Amino acid sequence: NAGVMQNPRHLVRRRGQEARLRCSPMKGHSHVYWYRQLPEEGLKFMVYLQKENIIDESGMPKERFSAEFPKEGPSILRIQQVVRGDSAAYFCASSPPLGTGTHNEQFFGPGTRLTVL
Amino acid sequence: GENVEQHPSTLSVQEGDSAVIKCTYSDSASNYFPWYKQELGKRPQLIIDIRSNVGEKKDQRIAVTLNKTAKHFSLHITETQPEDSAVYFCAASIVGNYGGSQGNLIFGKGTKLSVKP
């Protein structure tokens, strides 16, 4: 499967624990975006990353949330000390490198559904 | 920042009829407008997109129109089928072809389309 991969698909955490969400972009894609979707709502942009570089984190809460996209391995969205309000579906998307003409297109992974008890 | 409004929030049509979903955006610098289809519990899937240098784009039963002056764009689905039932999201972003791309998508709140057989 050459699509965007996310794991885990479902994650249950108790309040105060940490959640780690992983995203592997499509082969050949160098840009990763994280979005959050609350039930019955649209997707809200959180952060945009290239390898080893955060391009735009304007949609990510300043506290408890962090993201990385290391040189090797998947992108990780980390939520520390989770609260009930963090319960949502977290989607990542990837896009081709700049200059390919199709950079605008974002392809989404299956999402991680986080439930905070 | 950019704000995208989407209407209607729910739409019910008879199989074979047409469906139209409309979106408006606020930032005149936005130049890329994709549409995503999301089935229940699934990932958003890109179905069609349009760039600001084009007024209309068609792909089989799906078409998108863009009015830059009025800052609105619409999705048209003709000859609807039950499998078209899903939530449809419009989005807007500011992108460049080569470098300097911001890339993050600002989504509308979605339209739940029901096609009755």
Side-chain angles (χ1 to χ4, degrees), chain B residues 20-78:
Chain B
V20 180
I21 302 171
K22 299 182 179 181
C23 289
T24 59
Y25 61 99
S26 60
D27 191 340
S28 56
S30 290
N31 57 5
Y32 175 65
F33 308 92
W35 286 87
Y36 286 84
K37 175 184 180 182
Q38 187 178 31
E39 295 175 10
L40 189 63
K42 301 283 183 67
R43 75 185 76 194
Q45 289 193 297
L46 179 67
I47 56 172
I48 195 166
D49 57 15
I50 191 167
R51 288 163 174 75
S52 60
N53 58 349
V54 174
E56 184 174 357
K57 184 175 177 181
K58 194 171 181 182
D59 182 3
Q60 298 183 334
R61 296 186 297 109
I62 294 173
V64 58
T65 57
L66 170 65
N67 182 327
K68 281 194 299 182
T69 304
K71 290 190 280 189
H72 67 69
F73 56 113
S74 302
L75 178 72
H76 304 252
I77 307 174
T78 57

Coordinates of all heavy atoms in Angstrom, one line a residue, chain B residues 20-78:
Chain B
V20 N -25.7 20.6 -5.6 CA -24.8 21.7 -5.7 C -24.5 22.1 -4.2 O -25.3 22.3 -3.4 CB -25.4 22.9 -6.4 CG1 -24.4 24.1 -6.5 CG2 -25.9 22.5 -7.8
I21 N -23.2 22.3 -4.0 CA -22.7 22.7 -2.7 C -21.8 24.0 -2.9 O -21.0 24.0 -3.9 CB -21.8 21.6 -2.0 CG1 -22.6 20.3 -1.9 CG2 -21.3 22.1 -0.7 CD1 -21.8 19.1 -1.4
K22 N -22.1 25.0 -2.1 CA -21.4 26.3 -2.3 C -20.5 26.6 -1.2 O -20.8 26.4 0.0 CB -22.4 27.4 -2.5 CG -23.3 27.1 -3.7 CD -24.3 28.2 -4.0 CE -25.2 27.9 -5.2 NZ -26.2 29.0 -5.5
C23 N -19.4 27.3 -1.5 CA -18.4 27.7 -0.5 C -18.0 29.2 -0.8 O -17.8 29.5 -2.0 CB -17.2 26.8 -0.4 SG -17.6 25.2 0.3
T24 N -17.8 29.9 0.2 CA -17.2 31.3 0.0 C -15.9 31.3 0.9 O -15.8 30.6 1.9 CB -18.1 32.4 0.5 OG1 -18.5 32.2 1.9 CG2 -19.4 32.4 -0.3
Y25 N -15.0 32.2 0.4 CA -13.7 32.3 1.1 C -13.4 33.8 1.3 O -14.0 34.7 0.6 CB -12.6 31.6 0.4 CG -12.3 32.1 -1.0 CD1 -11.2 33.0 -1.2 CD2 -13.0 31.7 -2.1 CE1 -10.9 33.4 -2.5 CE2 -12.7 32.1 -3.4 CZ -11.7 33.0 -3.6 OH -11.4 33.4 -4.9
S26 N -12.6 34.1 2.3 CA -12.4 35.5 2.6 C -11.1 36.1 2.1 O -11.0 37.3 1.9 CB -12.5 35.7 4.2 OG -11.4 34.9 4.8
D27 N -10.1 35.3 2.0 CA -8.7 35.8 1.6 C -8.6 35.8 0.1 O -8.5 34.7 -0.5 CB -7.7 35.0 2.3 CG -6.3 35.6 2.2 OD1 -6.0 36.4 1.3 OD2 -5.4 35.2 3.0
S28 N -8.5 36.9 -0.5 CA -8.4 37.0 -2.0 C -7.0 36.4 -2.5 O -6.9 36.2 -3.7 CB -8.5 38.5 -2.4 OG -7.5 39.3 -1.8
A29 N -6.1 36.2 -1.6 CA -4.8 35.6 -2.0 C -4.9 34.1 -2.2 O -4.1 33.4 -2.8 CB -3.7 35.9 -1.0
S30 N -6.0 33.5 -1.7 CA -6.2 32.0 -1.8 C -6.3 31.7 -3.3 O -6.9 32.4 -4.1 CB -7.4 31.5 -1.1 OG -7.3 31.6 0.3
N31 N -5.6 30.6 -3.7 CA -5.5 30.3 -5.1 C -5.6 28.8 -5.4 O -5.4 28.4 -6.6 CB -4.2 30.8 -5.7 CG -3.0 30.3 -5.0 OD1 -3.0 29.4 -4.2 ND2 -1.8 30.8 -5.4
Y32 N -6.0 28.0 -4.4 CA -6.1 26.6 -4.7 C -7.3 26.1 -3.9 O -7.4 26.4 -2.7 CB -4.9 25.8 -4.2 CG -5.0 24.3 -4.3 CD1 -5.2 23.7 -5.6 CD2 -4.9 23.5 -3.2 CE1 -5.3 22.3 -5.6 CE2 -5.1 22.2 -3.3 CZ -5.2 21.6 -4.5 OH -5.4 20.2 -4.6
F33 N -8.3 25.4 -4.5 CA -9.5 25.1 -3.9 C -9.9 23.6 -4.2 O -10.4 23.2 -5.2 CB -10.6 26.0 -4.5 CG -10.3 27.4 -4.4 CD1 -9.7 28.1 -5.4 CD2 -10.6 28.1 -3.2 CE1 -9.3 29.4 -5.3 CE2 -10.2 29.5 -3.1 CZ -9.6 30.1 -4.2
P34 N -9.6 22.7 -3.3 CA -9.9 21.3 -3.4 C -11.2 20.9 -2.8 O -11.7 21.6 -1.9 CB -8.7 20.6 -2.7 CG -8.4 21.5 -1.6 CD -8.7 22.9 -2.1
W35 N -11.8 19.9 -3.2 CA -13.0 19.3 -2.6 C -12.7 17.9 -2.2 O -12.1 17.1 -2.9 CB -14.1 19.3 -3.6 CG -14.7 20.6 -3.9 CD1 -14.3 21.5 -4.8 CD2 -15.9 21.2 -3.2 NE1 -15.1 22.6 -4.7 CE2 -16.1 22.5 -3.8 CE3 -16.7 20.8 -2.2 CZ2 -17.1 23.3 -3.3 CZ3 -17.7 21.6 -1.8 CH2 -17.9 22.9 -2.3
Y36 N -13.1 17.5 -1.0 CA -12.9 16.2 -0.4 C -14.2 15.5 -0.1 O -15.2 16.2 0.3 CB -12.1 16.3 0.9 CG -10.6 16.6 0.6 CD1 -10.1 17.9 0.5 CD2 -9.7 15.5 0.5 CE1 -8.8 18.1 0.2 CE2 -8.3 15.8 0.3 CZ -7.9 17.1 0.2 OH -6.6 17.4 -0.1
K37 N -14.2 14.2 -0.3 CA -15.4 13.4 0.1 C -15.0 12.5 1.2 O -13.9 11.9 1.2 CB -15.8 12.5 -1.1 CG -16.9 11.6 -0.9 CD -17.2 10.7 -2.1 CE -18.3 9.7 -1.8 NZ -18.5 8.8 -3.0
Q38 N -15.8 12.5 2.3 CA -15.5 11.7 3.4 C -16.7 10.8 3.8 O -17.7 11.3 4.2 CB -15.1 12.5 4.7 CG -14.6 11.7 5.8 CD -14.1 12.6 7.0 OE1 -14.6 13.6 7.2 NE2 -13.1 12.1 7.7
E39 N -16.5 9.5 3.7 CA -17.5 8.6 4.1 C -17.3 8.3 5.6 O -16.3 8.5 6.1 CB -17.4 7.3 3.3 CG -17.7 7.5 1.8 CD -17.5 6.3 0.9 OE1 -17.3 5.2 1.5 OE2 -17.6 6.5 -0.3
L40 N -18.4 7.8 6.2 CA -18.4 7.7 7.7 C -17.2 6.8 8.1 O -17.1 5.7 7.7 CB -19.7 7.1 8.1 CG -20.0 7.0 9.6 CD1 -20.1 8.5 10.2 CD2 -21.3 6.3 9.9
G41 N -16.4 7.4 9.0 CA -15.3 6.6 9.6 C -14.1 6.5 8.7 O -13.2 5.8 9.0
K42 N -14.2 7.1 7.5 CA -13.1 7.0 6.6 C -12.2 8.3 6.4 O -12.6 9.3 7.0 CB -13.6 6.6 5.2 CG -14.5 5.3 5.2 CD -13.6 4.1 5.2 CE -14.4 2.8 5.2 NZ -15.0 2.6 3.9
R43 N -11.2 8.2 5.6 CA -10.4 9.3 5.4 C -11.0 10.2 4.4 O -11.8 9.8 3.5 CB -9.0 8.9 4.9 CG -9.0 8.4 3.4 CD -7.7 7.8 3.0 NE -7.4 6.5 3.5 CZ -6.2 5.9 3.5 NH1 -5.2 6.5 3.0 NH2 -6.1 4.7 4.0
P44 N -10.7 11.6 4.4 CA -11.1 12.5 3.3 C -10.4 12.1 2.1 O -9.2 11.8 2.1 CB -10.7 13.8 3.8 CG -10.4 13.7 5.3 CD -10.0 12.3 5.5
Q45 N -11.1 12.1 1.0 CA -10.5 11.7 -0.3 C -10.7 12.9 -1.3 O -11.8 13.4 -1.5 CB -11.2 10.4 -0.9 CG -10.8 9.2 -0.1 CD -11.2 7.9 -0.9 OE1 -12.4 7.7 -1.1 NE2 -10.2 7.1 -1.2
L46 N -9.6 13.3 -1.9 CA -9.7 14.3 -2.9 C -10.4 13.9 -4.1 O -10.1 12.9 -4.7 CB -8.2 14.7 -3.3 CG -8.1 15.8 -4.3 CD1 -8.5 17.2 -3.8 CD2 -6.6 15.9 -4.8
I47 N -11.5 14.6 -4.5 CA -12.3 14.3 -5.6 C -12.1 15.2 -6.8 O -12.2 14.8 -8.0 CB -13.8 14.2 -5.3 CG1 -14.3 15.5 -4.7 CG2 -14.1 13.0 -4.4 CD1 -15.8 15.5 -4.5
I48 N -11.8 16.5 -6.6 CA -11.6 17.4 -7.6 C -10.9 18.7 -7.0 O -11.2 18.9 -5.8 CB -12.8 17.7 -8.4 CG1 -12.5 18.4 -9.8 CG2 -13.8 18.6 -7.6 CD1 -13.7 18.5 -10.7
D49 N -10.2 19.4 -7.8 CA -9.6 20.6 -7.3 C -9.6 21.6 -8.4 O -9.7 21.3 -9.6 CB -8.2 20.5 -6.6 CG -7.2 19.8 -7.6 OD1 -7.4 19.8 -8.8 OD2 -6.2 19.4 -7.1
I50 N -9.4 22.9 -8.1 CA -9.3 24.0 -9.1 C -8.4 25.0 -8.6 O -8.3 25.3 -7.4 CB -10.7 24.5 -9.4 CG1 -10.7 25.4 -10.6 CG2 -11.3 25.3 -8.2 CD1 -12.1 25.8 -11.2
R51 N -7.6 25.6 -9.6 CA -6.7 26.6 -9.2 C -7.3 28.0 -9.7 O -8.2 28.0 -10.6 CB -5.3 26.4 -9.9 CG -4.6 25.3 -9.2 CD -3.5 24.7 -10.0 NE -2.7 23.7 -9.2 CZ -3.0 22.5 -8.9 NH1 -4.2 22.0 -9.3 NH2 -2.3 21.7 -8.2
S52 N -6.8 29.1 -9.2 CA -7.4 30.3 -9.5 C -7.3 30.9 -10.9 O -7.9 31.8 -11.2 CB -7.0 31.4 -8.5 OG -5.6 31.6 -8.6
N53 N -6.5 30.2 -11.7 CA -6.3 30.7 -13.0 C -7.3 29.9 -14.0 O -7.3 30.1 -15.2 CB -4.9 30.4 -13.5 CG -4.5 28.9 -13.4 OD1 -5.2 28.1 -12.8 ND2 -3.4 28.6 -14.0
V54 N -8.2 29.2 -13.4 CA -9.2 28.4 -14.1 C -10.6 28.7 -13.6 O -10.8 28.9 -12.3 CB -9.0 26.9 -14.0 CG1 -10.1 26.1 -14.7 CG2 -7.6 26.6 -14.6
G55 N -11.6 28.9 -14.4 CA -13.0 29.2 -13.9 C -13.9 28.0 -13.7 O -14.8 28.0 -12.9
E56 N -13.5 26.9 -14.4 CA -14.3 25.7 -14.3 C -13.5 24.5 -14.6 O -12.6 24.5 -15.4 CB -15.5 25.8 -15.3 CG -16.5 24.6 -15.1 CD -17.7 24.8 -16.0 OE1 -17.9 25.9 -16.7 OE2 -18.6 23.9 -16.0
K57 N -13.8 23.4 -13.9 CA -13.2 22.1 -14.2 C -14.2 21.0 -14.1 O -15.0 21.0 -13.2 CB -12.0 21.9 -13.2 CG -11.1 20.7 -13.5 CD -10.0 20.7 -12.5 CE -9.1 19.5 -12.6 NZ -8.0 19.5 -11.6
K58 N -14.1 20.0 -14.9 CA -15.1 18.9 -14.9 C -14.4 17.6 -15.0 O -13.3 17.4 -15.7 CB -16.0 19.1 -16.1 CG -17.2 18.2 -16.1 CD -18.2 18.6 -17.2 CE -19.4 17.7 -17.1 NZ -20.4 17.9 -18.1
D59 N -14.9 16.6 -14.2 CA -14.4 15.3 -14.3 C -15.6 14.3 -14.2 O -16.1 14.1 -13.1 CB -13.4 15.0 -13.1 CG -12.8 13.6 -13.1 OD1 -13.1 12.9 -14.1 OD2 -12.1 13.3 -12.2
Q60 N -16.1 13.8 -15.3 CA -17.2 13.0 -15.4 C -18.4 13.6 -14.8 O -18.9 14.7 -15.3 CB -16.9 11.6 -14.8 CG -15.7 10.9 -15.5 CD -15.4 9.5 -14.9 OE1 -15.7 9.2 -13.8 NE2 -14.9 8.7 -15.7
R61 N -19.0 13.1 -13.7 CA -20.2 13.7 -13.2 C -20.0 14.8 -12.2 O -20.9 15.4 -11.6 CB -21.0 12.6 -12.4 CG -21.5 11.5 -13.3 CD -22.4 10.5 -12.6 NE -21.7 9.8 -11.5 CZ -21.9 10.1 -10.2 NH1 -22.8 11.0 -9.8 NH2 -21.2 9.4 -9.3
I62 N -18.7 15.2 -12.0 CA -18.4 16.2 -11.0 C -17.8 17.4 -11.7 O -16.9 17.2 -12.6 CB -17.3 15.6 -10.0 CG1 -18.0 14.5 -9.1 CG2 -16.8 16.7 -9.1 CD1 -17.0 13.8 -8.3
A63 N -18.2 18.6 -11.3 CA -17.6 19.8 -11.8 C -17.5 20.8 -10.7 O -18.2 20.8 -9.7 CB -18.5 20.4 -12.9
V64 N -16.5 21.7 -10.8 CA -16.3 22.7 -9.9 C -16.2 24.0 -10.6 O -15.6 24.1 -11.7 CB -15.0 22.5 -9.0 CG1 -13.8 22.3 -9.8 CG2 -14.9 23.6 -7.9
T65 N -16.8 25.1 -10.1 CA -16.7 26.4 -10.7 C -16.2 27.4 -9.7 O -16.3 27.2 -8.5 CB -18.1 26.9 -11.1 OG1 -19.0 26.9 -10.0 CG2 -18.7 26.0 -12.2
L66 N -15.4 28.4 -10.2 CA -14.8 29.3 -9.3 C -15.1 30.7 -9.8 O -14.9 31.0 -11.0 CB -13.3 29.1 -9.3 CG -12.4 30.2 -8.6 CD1 -12.7 30.2 -7.1 CD2 -10.9 29.9 -8.8
N67 N -15.5 31.6 -8.9 CA -15.7 33.0 -9.2 C -14.8 33.8 -8.3 O -15.1 34.0 -7.1 CB -17.2 33.4 -9.0 CG -17.5 34.8 -9.3 OD1 -16.6 35.7 -9.2 ND2 -18.7 35.1 -9.8
K68 N -13.7 34.2 -8.8 CA -12.7 34.9 -8.0 C -13.1 36.3 -7.5 O -12.8 36.7 -6.4 CB -11.4 35.1 -8.8 CG -10.5 33.8 -8.9 CD -9.1 34.1 -9.4 CE -9.2 34.7 -10.8 NZ -7.8 35.0 -11.3
T69 N -13.9 37.0 -8.4 CA -14.4 38.3 -8.0 C -15.3 38.2 -6.8 O -15.1 39.0 -5.8 CB -15.1 38.9 -9.2 OG1 -14.3 38.9 -10.3 CG2 -15.6 40.3 -8.8
A70 N -16.2 37.3 -6.8 CA -17.1 37.1 -5.7 C -16.6 36.3 -4.6 O -17.2 36.1 -3.5 CB -18.4 36.5 -6.2
K71 N -15.4 35.6 -4.8 CA -14.8 34.7 -3.8 C -15.7 33.6 -3.4 O -15.9 33.4 -2.2 CB -14.3 35.5 -2.6 CG -13.1 36.4 -3.0 CD -12.4 37.0 -1.8 CE -13.2 38.2 -1.3 NZ -12.5 39.0 -0.3
H72 N -16.2 32.9 -4.4 CA -17.0 31.7 -4.1 C -16.7 30.6 -5.1 O -16.4 30.9 -6.3 CB -18.4 32.0 -3.8 CG -19.3 32.4 -5.0 ND1 -19.6 31.6 -6.1 CD2 -19.9 33.6 -5.2 CE1 -20.3 32.3 -6.9 NE2 -20.5 33.5 -6.4
F73 N -16.9 29.4 -4.7 CA -16.7 28.3 -5.6 C -17.7 27.2 -5.2 O -18.2 27.2 -4.1 CB -15.3 27.7 -5.6 CG -14.7 27.3 -4.2 CD1 -14.5 26.0 -3.9 CD2 -14.5 28.3 -3.2 CE1 -14.0 25.7 -2.7 CE2 -14.0 28.0 -2.0 CZ -13.7 26.6 -1.7
S74 N -18.1 26.4 -6.2 CA -19.2 25.5 -6.0 C -18.8 24.1 -6.6 O -18.1 24.0 -7.6 CB -20.4 26.0 -6.7 OG -20.8 27.2 -6.3
L75 N -19.4 23.1 -6.0 CA -19.3 21.7 -6.5 C -20.6 21.3 -7.0 O -21.6 21.5 -6.4 CB -18.9 20.8 -5.3 CG -18.8 19.3 -5.6 CD1 -17.5 19.0 -6.5 CD2 -18.7 18.4 -4.4
H76 N -20.6 20.7 -8.2 CA -21.8 20.2 -8.9 C -21.6 18.7 -9.1 O -20.7 18.3 -9.8 CB -22.0 21.0 -10.2 CG -22.0 22.5 -10.1 ND1 -23.1 23.2 -10.3 CD2 -21.0 23.4 -9.9 CE1 -22.8 24.5 -10.1 NE2 -21.6 24.6 -9.9
I77 N -22.6 18.0 -8.7 CA -22.6 16.5 -9.0 C -23.9 16.3 -9.7 O -25.0 16.6 -9.3 CB -22.6 15.7 -7.7 CG1 -21.5 16.1 -6.8 CG2 -22.5 14.2 -8.0 CD1 -21.5 15.4 -5.4
T78 N -23.7 15.7 -10.9 CA -24.9 15.4 -11.8 C -25.2 13.9 -11.7 O -24.4 13.1 -11.3 CB -24.7 15.8 -13.2 OG1 -23.5 15.1 -13.7 CG2 -24.5 17.3 -13.4

